[in-house]
Amino acid sequence: MIRDILAGGAKLVSLALFAGLSLTASQGVAQSGNPFAPVVIVNERAITNFELQQRMIMLTLFQAPGDIREVALEQLIDDRIRLEATDLVGVNRPQQAINAGITEFAARANLGPEEFLQALAAEGVAPESMRDFVKAGLGWREVVQARYGPRIQITEADIDRALAEEGIGGAEV
């Protein structure tokens, strides 16, 4: 999906191609046991063992399907590309927006943001790992909205159909 959206602009296409070409596995260093050794380098930005382990814990807690290590690594690579794309188009992610994103996540678990971060910490996830996760997602959401938002027209029928597909019915009056 990221690569499809990146295909929308020449600079972003270059970014995606460059990301693919500069993706470098650092297996020898990664296997050294150093938590801050790079596992993969994406456009000169390292993904460390620590970040991979943090994401794996989060995905396990979020009950993500699939091979957790593979999914975590793929997400982290996508996040690096997303962050670079948001920087290229000038998307700013102020701390307030990141805090709001964490609050949104926490609400899904019926928790306040601090309770949510504490629950993650109790499972071994650093608050910074959750903030990085939210930061990449929010920035990417803004890039997609800026690029495609003006083209999208959502009708009441679209909303009703989506709710029906999810098995969520509206309140009958």
Side-chain angles (χ1 to χ4, degrees):
M1 174 169 166
I2 291 173
R3 288 163 189 93
D4 294 338
I5 293 171
L6 286 176
K11 286 183 181 177
L12 296 180
V13 170
S14 299
L15 168 69
L17 291 174
F18 185 67
L21 294 175
S22 69
L23 188 61
T24 309
S26 303
Q27 295 174 349
V29 179
Q31 293 173 357
S32 70
N34 178 355
F36 299 105
V39 175
V40 173
I41 310 251
V42 180
N43 292 346
E44 300 180 16
R45 294 181 183 191
I47 295 171
T48 65
N49 283 319
F50 177 77
E51 290 172 297
L52 180 59
Q53 291 302 314
Q54 290 287 288
R55 185 62 60 94
M56 289 171 61
I57 294 168
M58 285 174 38
L59 290 173
T60 300
L61 294 172
F62 299 158
Q63 300 177 349
D67 179 321
I68 295 298
R69 186 180 195 288
E70 185 178 312
V71 172
L73 188 55
E74 184 175 313
Q75 283 186 3
L76 288 165
I77 291 168
D78 286 349
D79 284 356
R80 289 301 190 276
I81 295 169
R82 288 174 177 155
L83 289 169
E84 193 152 339
T86 57
D87 290 344
L88 275 175
V89 298
V91 170
N92 185 16
R93 297 158 307 272
Q95 190 60 46
Q96 282 180 308
I98 295 168
N99 290 343
I102 291 172
T103 299
E104 182 181 321
F105 246 96
R108 294 178 194 171
N110 296 319
L111 296 172
E114 288 305 316
E115 291 173 297
F116 181 68
L117 291 174
Q118 288 172 359
L120 288 175
E123 297 294 332
V125 177
E128 295 77 19
S129 295
M130 185 64 194
R131 288 186 183 100
D132 291 346
F133 174 73
V134 169
K135 180 179 178 179
L138 288 175
W140 187 245
R141 184 188 306 176
E142 288 182 42
V143 168
V144 171
Q145 286 174 346
R147 175 86 174 124
Y148 296 102
R151 298 181 194 177
I152 298 172
Q153 299 293 326
I154 299 173
T155 66
E156 289 294 326
D158 293 331
I159 294 169
D160 291 341
R161 187 173 34 258
L163 290 173
E165 287 174 8
E166 293 294 320
I168 303 170
E172 295 195 21
V173 182

